Amino acid sequence: MTGIVIAIDGPAGTGKSTVAREAAGRLKLAYFDTGATYRLATLVCLREGVDFAEHGDVAAMVETMNARLILDPRGPLFLLDDEDVSRLIRSDTVAMTVSNVATNLAARAALGDWQRRIIDQERTDGFSHGRGVVVEGRDITTVIAPDAEVRILMTADEEIRVARRAAEGADAGTVRDAVLGRDRVDSTVVNFLTAADGVATLDTSDLSIAEAVDAVVELAKEAMA
Ligand code: DC
């Protein structure tokens, strides 16, 4: 028996992180937020003074950093040299800098290898004891886990995505630039706006979080049956 992999991608403001995490909790699976690996790499580079323009240096830092993830959907934790940096990786400084890593193809390759190892481990052991993982991020259904049992692209109308992020704080104009601007930059290296073959599209424009979680759980149960 090997565990199930549920892969979810899509742009900012679709509710993908919350939905992935809650679905993992309901299904008793691990929850893997791959965006956090980009944020960890960014934080390390900021701390070590690595020049983001030096793509090879950033990738080398990714390969040598001592980072660890606790894939608990009830309280995911991100550790650097055993220091809990879960809050620090959400700082504005990291958020404003992370696209430097997300658009660095050498760093993406190194982070992708690490992500695949984590996913493989959850199929047989790991936090879920082999039950499996809900893994979320921009290139997960296409590049990182194209063989996942369930693959979902979460979408939502642009205005709704901006409004959802604005509801979390900040003014609408700033949020619009941040959400759409970052998607634009990131979409130069990853296509996360259209569903690949075999990927189910889940439009959350008119869905509550609970309804979106129900939809993901339903797809997972069909795949496990
Ligand atoms: O989802 P997030 O905001 O934590 O993602 C952080 C950054 O990493 C953002 O620029 C998107 C990018 N990312 C990516 O390119 N590929 C992934 N699998 C996950 C995140």
Side-chain angles (χ1 to χ4, degrees):
M1 253 256 331
T2 67
I4 188 171
V5 176
I6 299 169
I8 302 181
D9 46 20
T14 54
K16 93 182 169 292
S17 301
T18 312
V19 170
R21 185 173 159 173
E22 291 194 12
R26 287 249 307 262
L27 294 161
K28 296 197 167 44
L29 302 177
Y31 164 57
F32 182 13
D33 162 11
T34 60
T37 66
Y38 286 87
R39 291 170 178 268
L40 282 164
T42 305
L43 181 61
V44 174
C45 289
L46 287 168
R47 281 183 166 179
E48 301 294 327
V50 175
D51 180 353
F52 287 104
E54 297 294 335
H55 284 195
D57 292 356
V58 174
M61 189 54 74
V62 168
E63 275 162 8
T64 53
M65 70 181 181
N66 178 21
R68 207 152 53 85
L69 277 59
I70 311 291
L71 307 182
D72 185 349
R74 288 160 305 176
L77 287 178
F78 306 97
L79 309 172
L80 263 187
D81 294 319
D82 288 329
E83 174 193 351
D84 181 357
V85 293
S86 308
R87 285 170 59 96
L88 267 179
I89 60 169
R90 308 287 163 201
S91 67
D92 287 346
T93 315
V94 169
M96 284 180 327
T97 323
V98 68
S99 271
N100 286 295
V101 178
T103 54
N104 174 335
L105 296 182
R108 291 197 76 84
L111 287 170
D113 287 345
W114 182 34
Q115 292 161 10
R116 289 189 189 94
R117 284 199 300 275
I118 292 174
I119 294 166
D120 279 349
Q121 203 188 10
E122 292 304 323
R123 281 198 185 274
T124 52
D125 189 13
F127 176 83
S128 70
H129 302 292
R131 290 179 54 86
V133 59
V134 179
V135 52
E136 165 247 313
R138 311 232 153 161
D139 54 354
I140 298 308
T141 67
T142 48
V143 179
I144 302 297
D147 57 348
E149 283 73 13
V150 180
R151 295 189 295 154
I152 301 168
L153 175 75
M154 286 184 54
T155 61
D157 295 342
E158 202 167 279
E159 288 311 311
I160 289 174
R161 298 198 286 115
V162 171
R164 282 179 183 161
R165 279 291 156 108
E168 294 168 5
D171 69 276
T174 313
V175 172
R176 179 181 308 278
D177 291 348
V179 170
L180 303 184
R182 213 178 59 178
D183 280 352
R184 208 162 21 246
V185 173
D186 291 345
S187 67
T188 59
V189 288
V190 185
N191 174 14
F192 53 84
L193 300 174
T194 51
D197 263 4
V199 177
T201 301
L202 180 61
D203 186 338
T204 65
S205 302
D206 301 317
L207 297 184
S208 66
I209 291 289
E211 288 168 331
V213 174
D214 283 346
V216 172
V217 168
E218 209 42 55
L219 287 168
K221 288 193 169 154
E222 280 168 23
M224 287 191 278

